[in-house]
Amino acid sequence: MRVPNVDLFDPRTIMDSDFSPGEASGSGSGDSDFGFAFNDSNFSDRVLRIEIMPDLRETKADGDGCSSIADWARNRKRRREDIKKENGADVVGQREEQTLNCNMPDTEDGVTYENQDEEAVAMIEGSPTDVGLNSNQIGNDATPSNDSSWNMDCSSVLRVKTIHISSPILAAKSPFFYKLFSNGMRESEQRHVTLRIHASEETALMDLLSFMYSNTLSTTIPTALLDVLMAADKFEVASCMRYCSRLLRNLPMTCESALLYLDLPSSVLLAEAVQPLTDAAKQFLADRYKDVTKFQEEVLNLPLAGIEAVFSSDDLQVASEDAVYDSVLKWARTHYPKLEERRDVLATRLGRLIRFPYMTCRKLKKVLTCNDFDPELASKVVLEALFFKAETPYRQRAHAAEEANAPYRRFVERAYKYRPVKVVEFEMPRQQCVVYLDLKREECVHLFPAGRVYSQAFHLGGQGFFLSAHCNMDQQSSFHCFGLFLGMQEKGSVTFAVDYEFAARSKPTEDYVSKYKGNYTFTGGKAVGYRNLFGIPWTAFMADDSIYFINGILHLRAELTIRQ
């Protein structure tokens, strides 16, 4: 019997395209189907003896009695906690055993491969003597062990299942079995191999072994697929992990299933084979909570993995990055009430979600005095943000392009409800500020026929102002046109006299050209501006040969001066 010469241990050797349920999709359509040889003595060179042990604290099988993903997750979590408790007392003994094995090279005929925390356990039978050997030492010499836990485990075997296996087929699909059958010791040549599992893993293991022959699974139930995925991770069958990942990804996603996929054990999450599934889960959560303001309470209750998925998105619909900062800080204070833990999670995980370069300068000042951040970290991110703001637009776009494929994109602008502005302030000889607002052509397209877009707030003389761009009707000619307005934020009955000027870059010189000047005495909530800033219809303004779009960007400038 010959197995295709493919390195299935490396997920990158597998082509993920052209998947259909009938294909051997887990390991590539080029693999042969050896399903006919499964558990057939005529095509087998070994006998696999599966010892089935009782589950810790009598937990059910992960999928047994679980009617939903949520039930599976709760049951799985209980099992993990119980295993940690059971293994806690055995760690020291196993470490001592490893030390003895390293110092004594003599080998007995029988050998046991053991892993802690639900990892695969196997041994090859050849003599009555059994010795302990951690799976990390496969290929090394082993020594006899008098570990009493082995005898106790033997006495608690619920039942034994025996099947015929082909070592080349299993070794080709799994590094675990490859090491087991080719570790260089004479025990690897023995015909009988024993595998010890918990009762909750029996069904998943049988499905996994069948998959290693046929490259397909009969089950499509989510909880059963998750069980097989965990078994495939445990026995290092990357092709099956990839197969389960695909099937789960094609099933309808829910919030609870997406969070579960992101909460799988770290060994699974780090596996390249499951990356498309975790990516899909992150995208689902990002889309589900795109408009954070509508789901404030739900977002506040998300676990850390969920928060990372939501606030990593470029498409997050928030007023500004200031709002992201406030939301992340509120979540951290809720879930990490202890300052030391909160500082740690902000430094290592949450801080990377905040795009400080797009925060307002007023908010950045508050970051420097925020006790939740380590002072050194706060200084670093604020300084980096200020340097970015001082860069030319070209350099800013270059920084953003460099992070196009990065998981955390500090310099990439989100779809803010309030457009970021660049502000230059003057105190002398008079209080004045110059505000720069850039709009993309696509943003202007979306303004038609009656839309508007607002800038982030900026301040002059202690008072907040904003710019708003409109598509509206020209009152005299009754056609659509582009308008620009200046407004003062609502704040009591304050009055403010301001001289202002609107300008825009235009071809061929690409210099700013003044379009409108005026003066106005503001009161809270009022706005003033020009309904047809360029004096042309909307169609001419948006035309391909429009002189106001330079490389697809409309550059606007507003100068405000407090009138004495």
Side-chain angles (χ1 to χ4, degrees):
M1 184 183 303
R2 183 175 180 179
V3 179
N5 186 22
V6 178
D7 182 9
L8 296 181
F9 301 162
D10 183 358
R12 289 170 296 184
T13 64
I14 308 304
M15 299 303 293
D16 282 333
S17 59
D18 301 327
F19 165 75
S20 66
E23 288 181 340
S25 57
S27 55
S29 58
D31 274 5
S32 301
D33 181 358
F34 295 109
F36 67 89
F38 180 58
N39 199 18
D40 190 325
S41 60
N42 294 318
F43 300 98
S44 304
D45 63 335
R46 310 259 183 166
V47 175
L48 180 63
R49 182 174 181 271
I50 304 174
E51 293 184 353
I52 300 165
M53 315 293 290
D55 287 322
L56 300 176
R57 300 182 182 273
E58 298 182 351
T59 56
K60 296 180 181 179
D62 289 342
D64 187 17
C66 297
S67 59
S68 70
I69 290 285
D71 293 337
W72 188 96
R74 283 192 291 269
N75 197 50
R76 184 81 197 179
K77 184 176 180 181
R78 285 196 299 270
R79 285 198 61 225
R80 285 206 301 256
E81 291 172 349
D82 290 340
I83 287 167
K84 287 178 181 178
K85 292 176 183 176
E86 288 286 332
N87 286 349
D90 296 332
V91 172
V92 175
Q94 289 202 14
R95 284 176 180 168
E96 292 175 354
E97 183 180 277
Q98 290 177 32
T99 304
L100 289 172
N101 290 342
C102 291
N103 294 333
M104 299 177 66
D106 296 333
T107 308
E108 294 292 329
D109 287 341
V111 59
T112 303
Y113 296 86
E114 293 185 350
N115 271 342
Q116 300 172 13
D117 194 12
E118 279 198 289
E119 290 185 3
V121 178
M123 54 269 187
I124 297 178
E125 296 179 341
S127 80
T129 307
D130 292 300
V131 290
L133 179 64
N134 189 280
S135 64
N136 293 329
Q137 294 175 302
I138 291 177
N140 295 337
D141 294 326
T143 60
S145 168
N146 294 320
D147 190 351
S148 61
S149 64
W150 161 245
N151 296 324
M152 180 177 64
D153 288 343
C154 285
S155 63
S156 60
V157 173
L158 294 177
R159 59 186 176 277
V160 175
K161 178 176 289 189
T162 302
I163 63 172
H164 297 277
I165 60 170
S166 167
S167 58
I169 292 178
L170 267 59
K173 294 294 180 72
S174 161
F176 173 85
F177 286 106
Y178 180 86
K179 294 173 185 174
L180 183 64
F181 298 138
S182 62
N183 60 21
M185 295 184 290
R186 65 178 181 273
E187 290 81 5
S188 64
E189 301 173 1
Q190 298 294 335
R191 174 173 168 77
H192 291 267
V193 182
T194 298
L195 203 64
R196 187 183 305 158
I197 61 172
H198 288 108
S200 60
E201 302 170 306
E202 180 181 357
T203 302
L205 175 61
M206 295 307 297
D207 286 340
L208 175 64
L209 291 172
S210 175
F211 174 89
M212 294 169 76
Y213 278 78
S214 64
N215 300 300
T216 189
L217 292 172
S218 59
T219 184
T220 57
I221 301 172
T223 52
L225 288 173
L226 282 165
D227 282 340
V228 177
L229 174 63
M230 301 301 293
D233 176 61
K234 181 173 179 177
F235 291 100
E236 306 174 63
V237 187
S239 55
C240 188
M241 293 175 69
R242 189 164 33 255
Y243 183 93
C244 293
S245 171
R246 280 195 179 123
L247 291 185
L248 289 168
R249 197 166 75 250
N250 291 334
L251 294 174
M253 189 88 69
T254 65
C255 286
E256 64 179 18
S257 64
L259 290 171
L260 172 61
Y261 300 151
L262 296 178
D263 191 42
L264 291 172
S266 58
S267 60
V268 177
L269 289 178
L270 293 175
E272 188 176 344
V274 188
Q275 194 65 47
L277 177 63
T278 55
D279 288 344
K282 291 175 183 177
Q283 189 60 52
F284 175 86
L285 292 172
D287 293 340
R288 173 76 172 83
Y289 298 109
K290 180 184 292 186
D291 192 344
V292 178
T293 56
K294 291 183 179 179
F295 305 98
Q296 291 186 27
E297 289 303 316
E298 286 187 48
V299 171
L300 192 61
N301 291 323
L302 288 175
L304 179 57
I307 283 290
E308 288 182 312
V310 172
F311 286 104
S312 294
S313 173
D314 293 344
D315 300 322
L316 200 63
Q317 294 178 359
V318 288
S320 65
E321 197 65 30
D322 291 2
V324 174
Y325 170 82
D326 290 335
S327 297
V328 169
L329 209 56
K330 184 177 182 181
W331 187 93
R333 289 169 176 170
T334 301
H335 292 264
Y336 294 87
K338 294 182 179 179
L339 177 61
E340 184 177 349
E341 294 179 355
R342 187 161 65 250
R343 280 190 171 184
D344 181 63
V345 77
L346 282 168
T348 58
R349 306 280 292 271
L350 293 176
R352 296 180 292 186
L353 307 178
I354 304 170
R355 302 183 184 183
F356 292 96
Y358 290 98
M359 289 173 59
T360 63
C361 290
R362 291 171 67 90
K363 201 70 170 182
L364 288 174
K365 290 179 182 178
K366 294 184 178 181
V367 176
L368 290 173
T369 58
C370 180
N371 193 43
D372 299 270
F373 284 89
D374 178 80
E376 186 175 344
L377 174 63
S379 298
K380 177 183 176 182
V381 296
V382 170
L383 192 61
E384 181 182 65
L386 293 176
F387 273 120
F388 179 83
K389 289 178 180 292
E391 292 275 22
T392 62
Y394 169 78
R395 289 298 305 158
Q396 290 178 346
R397 288 192 294 271
H399 284 309
E402 290 171 0
E403 291 191 333
N405 298 316
Y408 300 101
R409 293 142 64 89
R410 299 163 298 168
F411 303 124
V412 177
E413 189 176 330
R414 304 186 205 260
Y416 301 114
K417 292 180 181 178
Y418 300 128
R419 303 296 302 141
V421 292
K422 182 178 289 188
V423 183
V424 180
E425 297 182 51
F426 301 93
E427 288 292 332
M428 297 296 289
R430 50 186 176 169
Q431 284 189 297
Q432 183 183 37
C433 70
V434 183
V435 184
Y436 297 90
L437 171 65
D438 293 345
L439 297 177
K440 299 176 184 177
R441 181 183 283 272
E442 309 88 79
E443 293 173 312
C444 293
V445 168
H446 293 151
L447 292 178
F448 186 85
R452 60 185 62 187
V453 60
Y454 295 95
S455 78
Q456 291 181 357
F458 53 91
H459 293 78
L460 176 65
Q463 185 61 47
F465 291 87
F466 62 90
L467 294 173
S468 61
H470 297 225
C471 176
N472 39 227
M473 295 294 291
D474 183 272
Q475 290 179 322
Q476 296 179 346
S477 306
S478 297
F479 54 71
H480 289 93
C481 53
F482 181 87
L484 185 64
F485 295 82
L486 171 67
M488 189 173 83
Q489 290 181 314
E490 190 83 42
K491 194 171 184 180
S493 57
V494 177
T495 59
F496 225 70
V498 174
D499 293 325
Y500 63 93
E501 178 184 5
F502 295 154
R505 285 187 187 273
S506 63
K507 301 173 183 176
T509 63
E510 299 185 351
D511 293 331
Y512 280 100
V513 178
S514 178
K515 292 296 178 182
Y516 187 73
K517 290 183 179 181
N519 56 73
Y520 190 72
T521 301
F522 286 92
T523 57
K526 298 295 182 179
V528 66
Y530 201 60
R531 295 179 65 85
N532 190 351
L533 183 67
F534 302 113
I536 57 176
W538 182 266
T539 51
F541 164 67
M542 291 299 302
D544 291 339
D545 60 351
S546 173
I547 64 173
Y548 297 109
F549 286 96
I550 302 172
N551 296 324
I553 303 292
L554 173 65
H555 301 273
L556 301 171
R557 184 184 72 190
E559 293 187 24
L560 283 67
T561 306
I562 296 178
R563 206 183 325 156
Q564 301 299 325

